[in-house]
Amino acid sequence: MKKPILLKFLWVCLFIVLWETVRLTGNFSPLVYPSLLSIIKSLFHAFSSEGIAIQLLLSFAVIAFGITAGIILAMIAVMAAHSSAIFESFLKFVISVFHPLPGIALLPVLLLWVGTGIESILIIVLHSVIWPLITNLYTGYRSIPATYTLVADNYSMGKKDRFLKITLPASLPYFLAGSRIAFARSWRALISAEMLFGAAGGKGGIGWFLYNKRVFMDSSGLFAGLLVIVVAGILTEEVFFTILENKTVKKWGMSI
Amino acid sequence: MNDYLEIKNLYFSYNDDNQGIKEPRKVIDNISFNIQKKSLLCILGPSGCGKTTLLKIIASLVPPSAGKVLFDGKVLKNPDAGRILIFQDDNQLFPWLNVIENISMPLRLSNINGREKIALDIINKVHLTGFENYYPHRLSGGMKKRAGIARALATSPDLLLMDEPFGSLDAQTRKKLHKLVLEIKEKTDLTVIFVTHDIHEAIFLATDIAVMGKSGTIAYQTKNNFSGISDFSVTGFSDFYNKLYSFIDEP
């Protein structure tokens, strides 16, 4: 465990050295290629005076809402598909149409139909999370071993017990895999959408912060914003989901 | 002694429409037999002869096409929670529960008090003391079977239907588990139907042996006089073995 962390630290150091080496060659203007020091100064300034933490929290709140709504809808859809062949066919059709569609591609339509604001962003985030969640949950649902069903039959388990005590934990590896994909997709879609019109008024999320930095040609602030996005993404994907997996499916020896 | 389980003129067939076959496929063809309480009936038979289907019908998980199953004098229409249990070779333990949680699960479903004590007693019975908090993936194949048997015993079932339970284990571990089955049978009122391909296993364990033929019938049924033997050179053993083999290997 210690070795990979050391290696990652080494890659970060290497990246810093490379960045500064390129800057020191003097081939790029500081306006487009700021020094690491000015990026760090901008980062501190962003946290102390520009409320980047609030923008970040706002972005995460939108994602959390989207993922929670996505999970609830996906569960309902999967259970409905499991009990009705007609709905299953309909769901498969809808997935095949919408799953390949990038969230950001929906923006022009949403601008026309819903306008600019939090509603459009929420729809884009929901669109980004729901299809991978449904696909993974459905696969998880279908791959529950027949022996578990036999155990449930043996003990005459009711529908609620079957769902809570067998279906949910048995499909957890698929659910977590789906959630990882859902987060990655929604994170990208959210930043893109925020960059276009912000999430809500002046508090437009981290994407809106980036947009403003570009408009005012504050390149060190722009890179500071990018750094925040990268670190937030890594912390969520690599730390949050990894801890969640270690505490559950990996501890139980379940994998997909 | 009264018959504890009575199988009367049992038939089972199903339509294999998915394969484009119109004629119903007959799996069980007029099977009748009785077993008494505390006995251990081993059912031998070739693959695909309907042994697993028979067990599912006995457990009321599948309705028969015709005929009936009387358990303790009553016709069972629905699975009788915890009284008749099927135990298969596939790993039935839930990977997200540790050994004691897996064993307590049926007790929790039945709202039985003193679950931990009952579970610990059973864990002791199957010689898994010290492994209570282990998750199934950390147990060996034999230990998983022990834990599975422990869970099956948790609700004190009356009839345990074991469907090739030790098929995937090595010979050494199987021997240990055979002894465990006999030990449990000795200490409880459990009645067992044990399905296997292995004639030696059947002879070692059974009080009664039935051989199912390929056509889904009982080709031969007999009392077993060699139960528990480890010396296969005793008089009559080889004739008995060959007779059983001849019914399994019928053309």
Side-chain angles (χ1 to χ4, degrees):
Chain A
M1 188 65 203
K2 276 180 185 170
K3 223 175 172 182
I5 289 175
L6 268 176
L7 269 175
K8 277 176 189 168
F9 182 70
L10 184 74
W11 302 138
V12 171
C13 291
L14 187 73
F15 186 78
I16 290 170
V17 170
L18 272 173
W19 181 275
E20 283 300 293
T21 312
V22 172
R23 186 182 68 81
L24 288 170
T25 58
N27 289 331
F28 300 100
S29 153
L31 210 58
V32 292
Y33 199 97
S35 71
L36 208 62
L37 193 67
S38 66
I39 294 174
I40 290 168
K41 274 183 188 166
S42 291
L43 190 64
F44 276 109
H45 187 252
F47 273 100
S48 59
S49 318
E50 294 178 302
I52 195 173
I54 291 176
Q55 306 278 34
L56 190 64
L57 276 177
L58 188 78
S59 295
F60 267 106
V62 173
I63 291 219
F65 181 84
I67 289 187
T68 310
I71 288 170
I72 294 168
L73 288 174
M75 274 184 179
I76 294 170
V78 167
M79 278 192 283
H82 196 66
S83 29
S84 157
I86 292 173
F87 186 78
E88 184 187 5
S89 162
F90 170 71
L91 191 65
K92 277 182 180 170
F93 168 74
V94 174
I95 290 172
S96 67
V97 171
F98 286 102
H99 195 17
L101 196 63
I104 203 71
L106 287 175
L107 257 179
V109 178
L110 287 172
L111 283 172
L112 277 176
W113 287 0
V114 189
T116 58
I118 190 100
E119 295 84 5
S120 294
I121 296 210
L122 278 175
I123 293 171
I124 286 171
V125 168
L126 193 61
H127 165 82
S128 305
V129 300
I130 197 161
W131 311 117
L133 275 174
I134 290 180
T135 312
N136 276 271
L137 267 179
Y138 192 59
T139 313
Y141 212 87
R142 288 181 74 98
S143 59
I144 293 173
T147 47
Y148 297 170
T149 314
L150 185 72
V151 173
D153 291 343
N154 253 264
Y155 294 108
S156 309
M157 272 190 190
K159 277 186 178 171
K160 189 181 147 206
D161 276 336
R162 274 173 200 255
F163 182 71
L164 292 176
K165 295 188 165 90
I166 296 183
T167 309
L168 270 189
S171 51
L172 195 63
Y174 291 89
F175 172 72
L176 287 179
S179 300
R180 258 184 195 276
I181 300 168
F183 171 76
R185 277 176 60 122
S186 61
W187 185 233
R188 285 154 183 74
L190 175 81
I191 304 289
S192 316
E194 284 177 349
M195 282 179 74
L196 282 182
F197 48 78
K203 289 188 172 54
I206 188 78
W208 187 242
F209 177 89
L210 275 190
Y211 177 79
N212 280 327
K213 293 293 165 191
R214 188 192 68 82
V215 167
F216 295 106
M217 226 22 214
D218 177 4
S219 56
S220 53
L222 186 67
F223 281 105
L226 282 178
L227 200 63
V228 170
I229 291 175
V230 168
V231 172
I234 288 176
L235 282 178
T236 312
E237 283 192 43
E238 299 296 322
V239 180
F240 174 73
F241 280 111
T242 304
I243 289 175
L244 205 59
E245 281 173 358
N246 287 343
K247 295 263 179 207
T248 54
V249 290
K250 281 197 179 151
K251 181 177 157 189
W252 304 333
M254 294 169 85
S255 55
I256 53 171
Chain B
M1 207 185 268
N2 290 330
D3 291 323
Y4 194 46
L5 182 77
E6 294 172 65
I7 312 289
K8 289 187 173 175
N9 307 107
L10 211 64
Y11 290 87
F12 182 80
S13 53
Y14 66 93
N15 289 314
D16 211 351
D17 288 340
N18 289 342
Q19 305 292 320
I21 300 164
K22 295 281 178 222
E23 285 293 302
R25 192 173 111 69
K26 203 181 272 181
V27 181
I28 289 174
D29 187 10
N30 194 15
I31 283 184
S32 297
F33 64 83
N34 306 329
I35 59 171
Q36 290 172 348
K37 196 166 184 168
K38 282 205 80 172
S39 57
L40 195 156
L41 171 73
C42 270
I43 300 179
L44 286 161
S47 296
C49 71
K51 303 187 292 291
T52 301
T53 307
L54 177 63
L55 293 191
K56 284 186 175 170
I57 293 172
I58 294 172
S60 309
L61 298 176
V62 173
S65 306
K68 59 183 170 182
V69 177
L70 289 165
F71 177 62
D72 213 5
K74 289 175 197 156
V75 177
L76 286 179
K77 286 191 178 131
N78 297 305
D80 195 350
R83 278 195 78 193
I84 303 178
L85 291 178
I86 293 193
F87 180 84
Q88 284 187 319
D89 184 31
D90 305 327
N91 185 17
Q92 292 184 333
L93 295 174
F94 295 140
W96 54 89
L97 301 179
N98 63 25
V99 168
I100 193 158
E101 288 166 344
N102 257 297
I103 294 167
S104 307
M105 183 272 295
L107 300 168
R108 198 174 298 122
L109 285 172
S110 314
N111 275 326
I112 292 170
N113 291 325
R115 295 189 278 266
E116 194 173 333
K117 192 187 171 302
I118 298 170
L120 286 172
D121 279 352
I122 298 167
I123 285 173
N124 186 37
K125 253 185 209 165
V126 298
H127 313 298
L128 273 179
T129 305
F131 295 94
E132 297 86 351
N133 297 318
Y134 277 53
Y135 282 91
H137 75 108
R138 292 185 61 206
L139 301 175
S140 68
M143 288 159 102
K144 280 181 194 162
K145 298 284 178 227
R146 284 172 192 277
I149 291 173
R151 187 172 72 185
L153 294 175
T155 48
S156 306
D158 298 311
L159 179 62
L160 188 59
L161 308 169
M162 303 182 87
D163 189 7
E164 298 181 39
F166 311 135
S168 58
L169 298 174
D170 60 277
Q172 205 68 25
T173 314
R174 287 176 80 160
K175 265 188 183 173
K176 284 182 188 167
L177 288 169
H178 291 157
K179 282 181 185 157
L180 178 71
V181 170
L182 292 181
E183 205 180 296
I184 289 164
K185 260 210 81 257
E186 192 64 35
K187 289 178 187 168
T188 62
D189 283 341
L190 192 64
T191 306
V192 181
I193 298 182
F194 192 106
V195 162
T196 178
H197 288 288
D198 185 338
I199 301 176
H200 280 111
E201 185 173 51
I203 295 175
F204 184 80
L205 289 172
T207 53
D208 304 84
I209 295 176
V211 184
M212 273 182 84
K214 278 176 191 161
S215 48
T217 55
I218 295 284
Y220 181 62
Q221 192 176 356
T222 178
K223 282 268 168 205
N224 176 24
N225 298 320
F226 298 95
S227 186
I229 67 152
S230 49
D231 176 13
F232 300 142
S233 63
V234 292
T235 319
F237 177 85
S238 122
D239 289 342
F240 187 56
Y241 181 97
N242 289 332
K243 188 159 192 181
L244 291 174
Y245 184 78
S246 67
F247 283 105
I248 295 170
D249 200 36
E250 64 172 358

Coordinates of all heavy atoms in Angstrom, one line a residue, chain A residues 147-148 150-157 161 165-166 169-170 250-254, chain B residues 61 79 81-82 84-86 88 90-92 94-96 105-106 109 135 137 151:
Chain A
T147 N -28.5 -19.9 -6.5 CA -28.5 -20.6 -5.2 C -29.0 -19.6 -4.1 O -29.6 -20.1 -3.1 CB -27.0 -21.0 -4.8 OG1 -26.2 -19.9 -5.1 CG2 -26.6 -22.2 -5.5
Y148 N -28.7 -18.3 -4.3 CA -29.3 -17.3 -3.3 C -30.8 -17.3 -3.4 O -31.5 -17.2 -2.3 CB -28.7 -15.9 -3.6 CG -27.2 -15.7 -3.5 CD1 -26.6 -14.6 -3.9 CD2 -26.4 -16.7 -3.0 CE1 -25.3 -14.4 -3.8 CE2 -25.1 -16.6 -2.9 CZ -24.5 -15.4 -3.3 OH -23.1 -15.2 -3.2
L150 N -32.6 -19.8 -4.2 CA -33.0 -21.1 -3.6 C -33.0 -21.0 -2.1 O -34.0 -21.4 -1.4 CB -32.0 -22.2 -4.0 CG -32.4 -23.6 -3.6 CD1 -33.6 -24.1 -4.3 CD2 -31.3 -24.6 -3.7
V151 N -32.0 -20.3 -1.5 CA -32.0 -20.1 -0.1 C -33.2 -19.2 0.3 O -33.9 -19.6 1.3 CB -30.7 -19.3 0.4 CG1 -30.8 -19.0 1.8 CG2 -29.5 -20.2 0.1
A152 N -33.5 -18.2 -0.4 CA -34.7 -17.4 -0.1 C -36.0 -18.2 -0.2 O -36.8 -18.1 0.7 CB -34.8 -16.2 -1.1
D153 N -36.1 -19.1 -1.2 CA -37.3 -19.9 -1.3 C -37.3 -20.9 -0.1 O -38.4 -21.1 0.4 CB -37.2 -20.8 -2.6 CG -37.3 -19.9 -3.9 OD1 -37.8 -18.8 -3.7 OD2 -37.0 -20.4 -5.0
N154 N -36.2 -21.4 0.2 CA -36.1 -22.4 1.3 C -36.7 -21.8 2.6 O -37.4 -22.5 3.4 CB -34.6 -22.7 1.6 CG -34.3 -24.1 1.2 OD1 -34.3 -25.0 1.9 ND2 -34.0 -24.2 -0.1
Y155 N -36.3 -20.5 2.9 CA -36.8 -19.9 4.1 C -38.0 -19.0 3.9 O -38.4 -18.2 4.7 CB -35.6 -19.1 4.7 CG -34.5 -19.9 5.2 CD1 -33.3 -19.9 4.5 CD2 -34.6 -20.7 6.3 CE1 -32.2 -20.8 4.9 CE2 -33.6 -21.6 6.7 CZ -32.4 -21.6 6.0 OH -31.4 -22.4 6.4
S156 N -38.7 -19.2 2.8 CA -40.0 -18.5 2.4 C -39.8 -17.0 2.7 O -40.7 -16.4 3.3 CB -41.1 -19.1 3.3 OG -41.2 -20.4 3.2
M157 N -38.7 -16.5 2.2 CA -38.5 -15.0 2.4 C -39.5 -14.2 1.7 O -39.9 -14.5 0.5 CB -37.1 -14.6 1.8 CG -36.0 -14.8 2.8 SD -34.5 -14.0 2.1 CE -33.3 -14.5 3.2
D161 N -37.8 -8.8 2.3 CA -36.5 -9.4 2.8 C -35.6 -9.8 1.7 O -34.4 -9.7 1.7 CB -36.9 -10.7 3.6 CG -37.2 -10.3 5.1 OD1 -36.7 -9.3 5.5 OD2 -37.9 -11.1 5.8
K165 N -32.2 -8.1 1.9 CA -31.2 -9.0 2.4 C -30.4 -9.8 1.3 O -29.4 -10.4 1.6 CB -31.8 -10.0 3.4 CG -32.4 -9.3 4.6 CD -32.8 -10.3 5.6 CE -33.0 -9.7 7.0 NZ -34.3 -9.2 7.2
I166 N -31.0 -9.9 0.1 CA -30.3 -10.6 -1.0 C -30.0 -9.7 -2.2 O -28.8 -9.5 -2.5 CB -31.1 -11.9 -1.4 CG1 -31.1 -12.8 -0.2 CG2 -30.4 -12.6 -2.6 CD1 -31.8 -14.1 -0.5
P169 N -27.5 -6.4 -1.4 CA -26.0 -6.8 -1.2 C -25.4 -7.6 -2.3 O -24.3 -7.4 -2.7 CB -26.0 -7.5 0.1 CG -27.4 -7.9 0.4 CD -28.3 -7.0 -0.3
A170 N -26.2 -8.5 -2.9 CA -25.7 -9.3 -4.0 C -25.3 -8.5 -5.2 O -24.4 -8.8 -6.0 CB -26.6 -10.4 -4.4
K250 N -14.9 -5.6 -1.4 CA -13.5 -6.2 -1.3 C -13.4 -6.9 0.0 O -12.8 -8.0 0.0 CB -12.4 -5.1 -1.5 CG -12.2 -4.7 -2.9 CD -11.0 -3.9 -3.1 CE -10.9 -3.6 -4.6 NZ -10.1 -2.4 -4.9
K251 N -13.9 -6.4 1.1 CA -13.9 -7.1 2.3 C -14.6 -8.4 2.3 O -14.3 -9.4 2.9 CB -14.5 -6.2 3.4 CG -14.6 -6.7 4.8 CD -15.2 -5.6 5.7 CE -15.7 -6.2 6.9 NZ -16.5 -5.2 7.7
W252 N -15.7 -8.4 1.4 CA -16.5 -9.7 1.3 C -16.0 -10.6 0.2 O -16.6 -11.7 0.0 CB -18.0 -9.3 1.0 CG -18.6 -8.4 2.0 CD1 -18.3 -8.2 3.3 CD2 -19.6 -7.4 1.7 NE1 -19.1 -7.3 3.9 CE2 -19.9 -6.8 2.9 CE3 -20.4 -7.1 0.6 CZ2 -20.9 -5.8 3.1 CZ3 -21.4 -6.1 0.7 CH2 -21.6 -5.5 1.9
G253 N -15.0 -10.2 -0.5 CA -14.4 -11.1 -1.5 C -15.3 -11.1 -2.8 O -15.3 -12.1 -3.5
M254 N -16.1 -10.1 -2.9 CA -17.0 -10.0 -4.1 C -16.4 -9.1 -5.2 O -15.9 -8.0 -4.9 CB -18.4 -9.4 -3.7 CG -19.2 -10.3 -2.8 SD -20.6 -9.3 -2.2 CE -21.8 -9.6 -3.5
Chain B
L61 N -40.8 -26.6 -3.8 CA -40.3 -25.4 -4.6 C -40.8 -25.5 -6.0 O -40.9 -24.5 -6.7 CB -38.8 -25.3 -4.6 CG -38.2 -25.2 -3.2 CD1 -36.6 -25.2 -3.3 CD2 -38.6 -23.8 -2.6
P79 N -43.5 -24.1 0.3 CA -42.3 -24.4 1.1 C -42.6 -24.1 2.6 O -43.2 -23.1 3.0 CB -41.2 -23.4 0.6 CG -41.7 -23.0 -0.7 CD -43.2 -23.1 -0.7
A81 N -41.4 -23.0 5.7 CA -40.2 -22.3 6.1 C -39.3 -23.0 7.1 O -39.7 -23.1 8.3 CB -40.6 -20.9 6.7
G82 N -38.2 -23.4 6.7 CA -37.2 -24.0 7.6 C -37.3 -25.4 8.0 O -36.4 -26.0 8.5
I84 N -38.2 -28.1 5.8 CA -37.5 -28.9 4.8 C -36.6 -28.0 4.0 O -37.0 -26.9 3.5 CB -38.6 -29.4 3.7 CG1 -39.6 -30.3 4.5 CG2 -37.9 -30.3 2.7 CD1 -40.7 -30.8 3.6
L85 N -35.3 -28.3 4.0 CA -34.3 -27.5 3.4 C -33.5 -28.2 2.4 O -33.2 -29.4 2.5 CB -33.3 -26.9 4.5 CG -33.9 -26.0 5.5 CD1 -32.8 -25.6 6.5 CD2 -34.4 -24.7 4.8
I86 N -33.1 -27.5 1.3 CA -32.2 -28.0 0.3 C -30.9 -27.5 0.5 O -30.7 -26.3 0.8 CB -32.7 -27.7 -1.1 CG1 -34.0 -28.3 -1.5 CG2 -31.7 -28.1 -2.2 CD1 -34.4 -28.3 -2.9
Q88 N -27.2 -27.5 -1.4 CA -26.6 -27.9 -2.7 C -25.1 -27.8 -2.6 O -24.5 -27.2 -1.7 CB -27.1 -27.0 -3.8 CG -28.5 -27.3 -4.3 CD -28.9 -26.6 -5.5 OE1 -28.6 -25.4 -5.6 NE2 -29.6 -27.2 -6.4
D90 N -23.3 -26.0 -4.7 CA -22.9 -24.6 -5.0 C -22.8 -23.8 -3.6 O -23.5 -24.1 -2.7 CB -24.0 -23.8 -5.8 CG -24.3 -24.6 -7.1 OD1 -23.4 -25.2 -7.6 OD2 -25.5 -24.6 -7.5
N91 N -22.0 -22.9 -3.6 CA -21.8 -22.1 -2.4 C -23.0 -21.3 -2.1 O -23.3 -20.3 -2.7 CB -20.5 -21.3 -2.4 CG -20.3 -20.6 -1.1 OD1 -20.8 -21.0 -0.1 ND2 -19.5 -19.6 -1.2
Q92 N -23.7 -21.7 -1.0 CA -25.0 -21.0 -0.7 C -24.8 -19.9 0.4 O -25.7 -19.2 0.7 CB -26.0 -21.9 -0.2 CG -26.5 -22.8 -1.3 CD -27.7 -23.7 -0.9 OE1 -27.8 -24.0 0.3 NE2 -28.5 -24.2 -1.8
F94 N -23.9 -16.4 2.0 CA -23.9 -15.1 1.5 C -22.5 -14.4 1.8 O -22.1 -14.4 2.9 CB -25.0 -14.3 2.1 CG -26.4 -14.7 1.8 CD1 -27.4 -14.8 2.8 CD2 -26.7 -15.2 0.5 CE1 -28.6 -15.2 2.5 CE2 -28.0 -15.6 0.2 CZ -28.9 -15.7 1.2
P95 N -21.8 -14.0 0.7 CA -20.5 -13.5 0.9 C -20.4 -12.2 1.8 O -19.4 -11.9 2.4 CB -20.0 -13.2 -0.5 CG -21.2 -13.2 -1.4 CD -22.2 -14.0 -0.7
W96 N -21.5 -11.5 1.9 CA -21.5 -10.2 2.6 C -21.8 -10.4 4.1 O -21.9 -9.5 4.9 CB -22.5 -9.2 2.1 CG -23.9 -9.8 1.9 CD1 -24.9 -9.7 2.9 CD2 -24.5 -10.4 0.8 NE1 -26.0 -10.3 2.4 CE2 -25.8 -10.8 1.1 CE3 -24.0 -10.8 -0.4 CZ2 -26.6 -11.5 0.2 CZ3 -24.8 -11.5 -1.3 CH2 -26.1 -11.8 -1.0
M105 N -28.8 -15.9 10.1 CA -29.8 -15.3 9.2 C -31.2 -16.0 9.2 O -32.2 -15.3 9.4 CB -29.2 -15.3 7.8 CG -30.0 -14.7 6.7 SD -31.2 -15.8 5.9 CE -30.1 -17.0 5.2
P106 N -31.2 -17.3 9.1 CA -32.6 -17.9 9.2 C -33.2 -17.8 10.5 O -34.5 -17.7 10.6 CB -32.3 -19.4 8.9 CG -30.9 -19.6 9.0 CD -30.2 -18.3 8.8
L109 N -34.8 -14.4 10.5 CA -36.0 -14.4 9.7 C -37.2 -14.9 10.4 O -38.3 -14.5 10.3 CB -35.8 -15.2 8.4 CG -34.9 -14.6 7.3 CD1 -34.6 -15.6 6.2 CD2 -35.6 -13.3 6.7
Y135 N -15.3 -14.1 6.9 CA -16.2 -14.0 5.7 C -16.0 -15.3 4.8 O -14.9 -15.8 4.8 CB -16.0 -12.7 4.9 CG -16.6 -11.5 5.6 CD1 -15.9 -10.8 6.5 CD2 -17.9 -11.2 5.4 CE1 -16.4 -9.7 7.2 CE2 -18.5 -10.1 6.0 CZ -17.8 -9.4 6.9 OH -18.4 -8.4 7.6
H137 N -15.3 -16.0 1.8 CA -14.2 -16.1 0.9 C -12.8 -16.4 1.6 O -11.9 -16.8 0.9 CB -14.1 -14.8 0.0 CG -13.5 -13.7 0.8 ND1 -12.2 -13.2 0.5 CD2 -14.0 -12.9 1.7 CE1 -12.0 -12.1 1.3 NE2 -13.0 -11.9 2.0
R151 N -25.7 -23.6 8.8 CA -26.8 -22.7 8.6 C -28.1 -23.5 8.4 O -29.2 -23.2 8.8 CB -26.6 -21.8 7.4 CG -27.7 -20.7 7.2 CD -27.4 -19.7 6.2 NE -27.5 -20.3 4.9 CZ -27.2 -19.6 3.8 NH1 -26.7 -18.3 3.9 NH2 -27.3 -20.1 2.6

